[in-house]
Amino acid sequence: MPWVVRILSLLLASLLVAARSLPDDSQRTFKIDYNHNRFLKDGQPFRYISGSIHYFRVPRFYWKDRLLKMKMAGLNAIQVCGKVVGSHSAQNETFPLSEWRANYNSAGTNITGAFLLQRKYEPRGPLINSEFYTGWLDHWGQPHSTVTTKAVVSSLYDILAHGANVNLYMFIGGTNFAYWNGANIPYQAQPTSYDYDAPLSEAGDLTKKYFAVRDVIRKFQKVPEGPIPPSTPKFAYGKVALQKIRTVNESLNVLCPNGPIKSLYPLTFIQVKQYFGFVLYRTTLPQDCSDPTPLSSSFGGVHDRAYVSVNGVPQGILSRGDEIGLNITGKAGDTLDLLVENMGRVNYGNFMNDYKGLTSNLTLNSSILTNWMIFPLDTETGVYHLGDWHGNDSRCHDKAYAHSSSNYTLPAFYVGNFSIPSEIPDLPQDTFIKFPGWTKGQVWINGFNLGRYWPERGPQMTLFVPQHILVTSAPNTVIVLELERAPCSDDCPKLCTVEFVDKPVISEAVTYSHLENGTMYDD
């Protein structure tokens, strides 16, 4: 069977989902009318105008809001990831759910040429563009990707004028909460925001692109009448002081209560059954390194970023692709620690077997290091216990920093609290957290893992904080794991601050970049 026929069969199967709005679900039918190159729904011509939403990138609290906004834009179907069977009802209106692949186009593509190519492989049947790109994803250290509204609506009009079916990818991008961002090859990790410059923003806000897309769709079919759900209000809760409570090394009894795994050579994350987050690799220096001595990873074996210290003194960073060696100092028998971060897996093609951790041996002055203790870190459980400390331990743990020639500090946890007045109506509301002076790390609010921040690299400067994780009944706890350098590291009594603001910043100027050749679009 030709590949396009298989795609159409998958699409047809997905459309054979019973709709709750019909009196008798068994009466709904979807068929392909090959004679007229179209779909039929219940015997009538049906044009499939769909939008992509990744439910795992949108809090369940907001599913109904996002789906209803998509419906009001004129979409009559939803495309999701995974083998989803069933239907989703929004205010008694039902969207069929589908999983399918066919033609791929972005704004500015020659639409006629693209569909001629599809006809070359499938002379008959409905024309389909299953991934019409409304924007594009970002990478750390590169400019925020945008596609102009003008380009999107022009190409969308051409697609619909051809009588084709279309899926807008993405209609809402959402957020890569926790450790769920992906990466591309050559290795480029994606940030926490998956805004995608889509018609609905990361926070579900209505954009000018949303209304422009709706205006195009209404030229070809009727769009629902009635009010469109508004953008959710945002609230600036202000600055919150954070106090350092523990370094990662000092937290191992909480983060790895079962103790380390011993191995002659390094093991990968998978081998120690750690699939996300962090693993601490520890060994001892086999020789004196009074002079700076090269520590390196053969074959680029640091996947993806390692924070290196000797006897609690930060030495620097090894990272995948660009920082494959550094010079360290220490004495024979000193403890060498590498806190290795999984920055996100490559999620397509031949590179999907993306092993994490130390994937090859580490050498010191060309000698292979052995006898490792490997600590898989359970940060989610650990943060739950760390939140109980409330920063009561204010001892200065960074006395060794004065002897370090690097600009880095030991990876450490910081905690702070803020209250939301219960007497103010309509609170809590959505917000965004900003990290003035911070470098790179992970943040949790009330135990919910918001994701990674990396303002030093950009372009994303704020993280989306949905209202449902905030409370008015008790103080809200913020825990930050700063991996490289906190703004208050040089003076222990000094407090660090984060700030809750009411506007996102996902397109700040880039301070670090390995740009590939390609086309960028700007509004």
Side-chain angles (χ1 to χ4, degrees):
M1 181 185 295
W3 67 271
V4 174
V5 174
R6 293 179 61 85
I7 290 166
L8 293 175
S9 299
L10 285 172
L11 175 58
L12 180 61
S14 70
L15 290 174
L16 293 175
V17 174
R20 297 173 186 168
S21 58
L22 288 180
D24 183 357
D25 289 346
S26 64
Q27 299 304 309
R28 170 157 286 187
T29 60
F30 289 87
K31 294 182 179 180
I32 299 176
D33 180 0
Y34 285 100
N35 292 327
H36 298 92
N37 300 325
R38 63 189 181 183
F39 291 109
L40 297 177
K41 182 184 78 172
D42 303 330
Q44 299 299 315
F46 177 76
R47 185 205 295 263
Y48 199 86
I49 302 180
S50 171
S52 288
I53 178 173
H54 295 160
Y55 59 89
F56 47 86
R57 286 189 168 110
V58 177
R60 181 187 294 267
F61 178 85
Y62 275 130
W63 285 359
K64 182 177 180 180
D65 173 83
R66 308 308 192 245
L67 289 172
L68 189 54
K69 287 172 179 172
M70 296 174 78
K71 169 181 179 282
M72 296 303 294
L75 305 184
N76 57 17
I78 297 294
Q79 189 259 359
V80 297
C81 297
K83 296 181 179 179
V84 179
V85 178
S87 59
H88 191 97
S89 178
Q91 290 195 351
N92 298 321
E93 296 292 336
T94 303
F95 298 166
L97 304 181
S98 68
E99 178 187 28
W100 46 287
R101 293 287 185 272
N103 199 357
Y104 300 83
N105 297 138
S106 59
T109 298
N110 182 334
I111 301 302
T112 299
F115 284 129
L116 284 175
L117 180 63
Q118 186 173 344
R119 278 286 174 252
K120 177 181 177 181
Y121 293 97
E122 184 62 31
R124 299 167 58 206
L127 293 172
I128 307 171
N129 182 347
S130 66
E131 287 194 2
F132 171 59
Y133 299 123
T134 61
W136 197 243
L137 49 82
D138 288 341
H139 298 101
W140 290 117
Q142 295 187 9
H144 173 56
S145 298
T146 60
V147 176
T148 66
T149 297
K150 180 180 179 181
V152 169
V153 298
S154 175
S155 295
L156 179 61
Y157 182 91
D158 288 347
I159 291 170
L160 297 181
H162 275 78
N165 301 267
V166 66
N167 175 65
L168 284 77
Y169 185 100
M170 298 290 300
F171 202 88
I172 175 173
T175 308
N176 296 311
F177 292 113
Y179 304 115
W180 286 100
N181 65 286
N184 286 323
I185 287 292
Y187 190 79
Q188 301 171 93
Q190 297 157 14
T192 301
S193 173
Y194 199 71
D195 178 84
Y196 216 85
D197 196 34
L200 290 174
S201 77
E202 175 184 9
D205 294 339
L206 305 169
T207 68
K208 67 176 183 179
K209 190 175 289 185
Y210 174 93
F211 291 103
V213 165
R214 187 173 187 265
D215 287 341
V216 172
I217 293 174
R218 74 193 314 167
K219 295 179 189 299
F220 295 89
Q221 68 180 32
K222 185 178 180 180
V223 301
E225 297 180 358
I228 300 171
S231 299
T232 57
K234 312 299 189 297
F235 196 87
Y237 298 101
K239 294 181 179 180
V240 177
L242 272 63
Q243 184 175 1
K244 180 179 174 182
I245 50 173
R246 291 285 194 279
T247 65
V248 169
N249 289 358
E250 293 165 338
S251 308
L252 289 180
N253 62 326
V254 175
L255 297 171
C256 188
N258 295 326
I261 297 164
K262 296 181 180 180
S263 176
L264 183 63
Y265 299 109
L267 301 174
T268 65
F269 275 39
I270 292 290
Q271 289 172 313
V272 298
K273 298 182 179 180
Q274 176 82 3
Y275 305 108
F276 302 96
F278 303 88
V279 170
L280 179 70
Y281 293 81
R282 174 173 288 175
T283 188
T284 57
L285 298 184
Q287 63 189 67
D288 283 332
C289 302
S290 53
D291 294 324
T293 306
L295 176 74
S296 62
S297 168
S298 56
F299 308 107
V302 173
H303 287 195
D304 299 303
R305 196 167 177 86
Y307 308 93
V308 183
S309 64
V310 174
N311 268 15
V313 179
Q315 303 290 311
I317 291 173
L318 297 173
S319 69
R320 184 174 180 172
D322 55 4
E323 296 164 305
I324 59 174
L326 59 85
N327 291 325
I328 66 171
T329 57
K331 298 179 181 179
D334 281 355
T335 298
L336 171 66
D337 282 343
L338 291 93
L339 178 64
V340 179
E341 179 186 11
N342 172 353
M343 283 283 295
R345 285 186 174 84
V346 177
N347 48 19
Y348 69 95
N350 298 327
F351 303 96
M352 288 187 68
N353 290 330
D354 187 13
Y355 295 103
K356 299 300 183 181
L358 296 184
T359 63
S360 63
N361 286 322
L362 215 63
T363 60
L364 181 66
N365 206 15
S366 301
S367 298
I368 294 175
L369 293 173
T370 58
N371 299 318
W372 291 91
M373 292 193 295
I374 303 168
F375 298 80
L377 304 186
D378 181 358
T379 52
E380 305 313 294
T381 302
V383 162
Y384 176 80
H385 294 290
L386 289 169
D388 295 335
W389 294 350
H390 297 297
N392 291 329
D393 183 1
S394 59
R395 294 175 300 163
C396 186
H397 303 283
D398 19 339
K399 291 180 181 178
Y401 294 169
H403 306 292
S404 173
S405 60
S406 81
N407 292 322
Y408 300 100
T409 55
L410 289 177
F413 292 95
Y414 299 76
V415 67
N417 299 283
F418 71 101
S419 297
I420 301 175
S422 57
E423 63 271 13
I424 299 180
D426 302 323
L427 290 184
Q429 292 177 353
D430 293 348
T431 187
F432 302 91
I433 185 171
K434 194 174 183 179
F435 301 87
W438 300 79
T439 308
K440 183 183 188 300
Q442 203 83 15
V443 59
W444 293 259
I445 296 180
N446 294 332
F448 182 87
N449 192 334
L450 277 182
R452 310 174 200 269
Y453 65 90
W454 201 354
E456 185 175 72
R457 187 155 296 191
Q460 182 180 4
M461 297 292 165
T462 60
L463 270 62
F464 172 55
V465 182
Q467 63 162 294
H468 76 287
I469 70 171
L470 303 174
V471 297
T472 58
S473 57
N476 295 271
T477 300
V478 181
I479 294 180
V480 168
L481 170 57
E482 171 57 49
L483 298 167
E484 299 187 13
R485 187 171 53 257
C488 53
S489 301
D490 294 333
D491 184 5
C492 256
K494 180 182 176 183
L495 293 177
C496 300
T497 61
V498 294
E499 185 175 5
F500 290 92
V501 296
D502 57 7
K503 291 181 176 59
V505 181
I506 58 172
S507 57
E508 191 79 4
V510 175
T511 58
Y512 174 97
S513 182
H514 284 294
L515 296 179
E516 300 296 325
N517 290 331
T519 302
M520 287 291 178
Y521 302 88
D522 295 305
D523 274 315

